[in-house]
Amino acid sequence: MEDLYRRKKAFVNMGFIILNVIYFLYLEMTGSTENTQFMVSHGAMYAPLVVEGGEYYRLFTSIFMHFGINHIMNNMLILFILGDNLERALGHVKYFFFYLICGVGANIISMIVNLGDYRLIVSAGASGAIFGVIGGLLYAVVVNRGRLEDLSTRQLVVVIVCSLYFGFSSTGVDNAAHIAGLFVGILMGIVLYRKPKRPGRMENWE
């Protein structure tokens, strides 16, 4: 089963990475991804425009936007390393919807939390969706008794702890989106992931 997983190409995950990079380059060529007003005008998350202006598309577009080169490089590196594992585990179609639902879900929860704290922030990035991927992988690894392909429960826990620590120890990080993405990812993993049957069982031949 391990070999079967490795033969599958994770083209959906690579497509998400390419889309993020292309939109980032477009924004850099037409303005600056480190300019908050410019980012808002091109689809970044800003709660008043979503809630009062009805610009719900921002819940989606902001997933593919990043503030500066370091932001996108860090996110795309993690997505490149982990996303293909989850795509092979879920399948292409499920992974496509999994990623988008985690990203949008993280944005919605983050918006609610920030509004509840009376904070009006501008946010963008794939982090919510990526934490969703990590959450989905954590569930899949646990279901598979602590290992999925080359990933173990310990490795994922270390990634989660380090990522959250970095977020809470840094400024300008939407930690609500990270935590929300993680839990949405676990829930989506429960809904969408099914542990593969071992080869050789009678039901595989029916």
Side-chain angles (χ1 to χ4, degrees):
M1 187 61 66
E2 291 277 336
D3 292 336
L4 177 61
Y5 274 139
R6 294 182 187 279
R7 285 197 295 267
K8 293 181 180 179
K9 301 297 182 181
F11 58 81
V12 174
N13 190 64
M14 185 55 64
F16 282 137
I17 293 174
I18 292 172
L19 184 57
N20 274 280
V21 172
I22 289 176
Y23 196 37
F24 177 81
L25 293 176
Y26 165 76
L27 292 174
E28 279 294 321
M29 288 187 293
T30 56
S32 172
T33 57
E34 297 187 24
N35 183 306
T36 302
Q37 187 173 358
F38 174 79
M39 292 291 277
V40 170
S41 68
H42 286 77
M45 268 291 299
Y46 186 56
L49 294 179
V50 177
V51 177
E52 299 172 8
E55 298 179 5
Y56 302 110
Y57 66 88
R58 293 178 181 276
L59 296 169
F60 173 80
T61 55
S62 61
I63 302 172
F64 300 95
M65 303 178 69
H66 292 83
F67 290 104
I69 186 66
N70 289 334
H71 190 198
I72 189 171
M73 284 184 62
N74 291 336
N75 276 351
M76 293 305 101
L77 178 61
I78 297 173
L79 186 58
F80 178 77
I81 294 172
L82 298 178
D84 59 339
N85 296 72
L86 187 60
E87 183 175 346
R88 284 190 289 269
L90 290 180
H92 306 306
V93 175
K94 285 184 178 180
Y95 180 74
F96 176 83
F97 288 105
F98 177 98
Y99 184 90
L100 296 181
I101 290 172
C102 286
V104 172
N107 278 338
I108 292 173
I109 296 173
S110 170
M111 181 177 65
I112 294 172
V113 170
N114 287 317
L115 285 175
D117 291 337
Y118 300 101
R119 292 190 300 166
L120 299 179
I121 64 172
V122 175
S123 62
S127 301
I130 292 172
F131 267 89
V133 169
I134 297 173
L137 280 173
L138 180 62
Y139 172 76
V141 168
V142 170
V143 168
N144 285 279
R145 298 182 179 180
R147 181 162 292 276
L148 180 71
E149 296 190 20
D150 55 347
L151 294 176
S152 67
T153 305
R154 178 178 297 178
Q155 289 172 324
L156 287 173
V157 170
V158 170
V159 170
I160 292 170
V161 171
C162 291
S163 298
L164 290 177
Y165 173 79
F166 174 78
F168 280 102
S169 61
S170 304
T171 58
V173 177
D174 189 355
N175 293 296
H178 293 180
I179 296 173
L182 181 65
F183 282 101
V184 172
I186 293 173
L187 291 175
M188 290 298 296
I190 294 173
V191 172
L192 296 178
Y193 179 72
R194 296 294 178 268
K195 182 179 178 180
K197 297 176 182 178
R198 293 182 179 180
R201 289 185 176 180
M202 184 64 67
E203 58 265 32
N204 289 342
W205 298 94
E206 293 179 353

